[in-house]
Amino acid sequence: MNTKRRIFLKGTLAGSAVAVAVGAGLLSPRQVLAAWPKEAFEAKDIAASLKGVYNADMTTPSNDIEIKAPDIAENGAVVPVTVNANIKGIESISLFVEQNGTPLTAVFNLAPNALGTVSTRVKMGKTSNVVAVVKAGGTLYAGRKEVKVTIGGCGG
């Protein structure tokens, strides 16, 4: 038997199996895509975003949360942000940019015993505080850092 014919038959059978599974409703996009708090990402202020993500709007300031971000970002479209949290029992870390139209930029759900470190890039429309909210042991802790955004990279 020709090997190309075997490959064709395998591909046809695999494609048919997937088509039957989709037709039977076994595979649907809702089952494949992760759940995400849509209302929290569309909220216009941090309190509403916190309510959408954690069903709470109060945080406790913490010095155990370190935010590494540039003091002055020349390009607000890609501001690198790293959060290190030295708190036990971290369940999730969320990032907010206070002056953005929709302040919630990221939510990281961490596995038990995971280190409290996340890194990402956020988009900032203008100079603002970057706020990291860490949920640990059912309590919300917050740390913040101001990042100045310059337009055109002239430092002004």
Side-chain angles (χ1 to χ4, degrees):
M1 184 179 235
N2 189 350
T3 55
K4 290 184 179 179
R5 184 175 172 195
R6 286 184 182 179
I7 292 171
F8 174 75
L9 289 174
K10 286 180 184 177
T12 302
L13 289 173
S16 297
V18 170
V20 169
V22 170
L26 298 175
L27 296 176
S28 66
R30 287 187 207 161
Q31 294 173 335
V32 177
L33 300 174
W36 66 294
K38 181 179 179 182
E39 296 82 22
F41 278 99
E42 293 176 347
K44 302 297 181 195
D45 58 35
I46 290 181
S49 294
L50 279 172
K51 195 79 170 168
V53 175
Y54 299 113
N55 201 22
D57 56 358
M58 297 295 293
T59 60
T60 303
S62 174
N63 292 327
D64 292 329
I65 300 171
E66 177 188 9
I67 300 173
K68 292 182 183 174
D71 293 330
I72 299 174
E74 294 182 1
N75 184 359
V78 285
V79 179
V81 177
T82 299
V83 177
N84 290 315
N86 293 320
I87 302 172
K88 291 188 177 185
I90 295 175
E91 300 167 29
S92 70
I93 298 175
S94 300
L95 286 174
F96 300 87
V97 177
E98 282 183 340
Q99 297 298 318
N100 277 2
T102 53
L104 179 59
T105 58
V107 178
F108 300 92
N109 293 317
L110 304 180
N113 299 325
L115 295 176
T117 301
V118 296
S119 185
T120 188
R121 293 173 187 249
V122 300
K123 185 174 184 177
M124 298 181 66
K126 55 187 170 183
T127 298
S128 176
N129 283 326
V130 174
V131 180
V133 175
V134 175
K135 181 178 181 184
T139 304
L140 298 178
Y141 300 95
R144 64 185 63 233
K145 177 178 182 176
E146 184 183 46
V147 176
K148 294 181 180 179
V149 176
T150 61
I151 298 174
C154 298

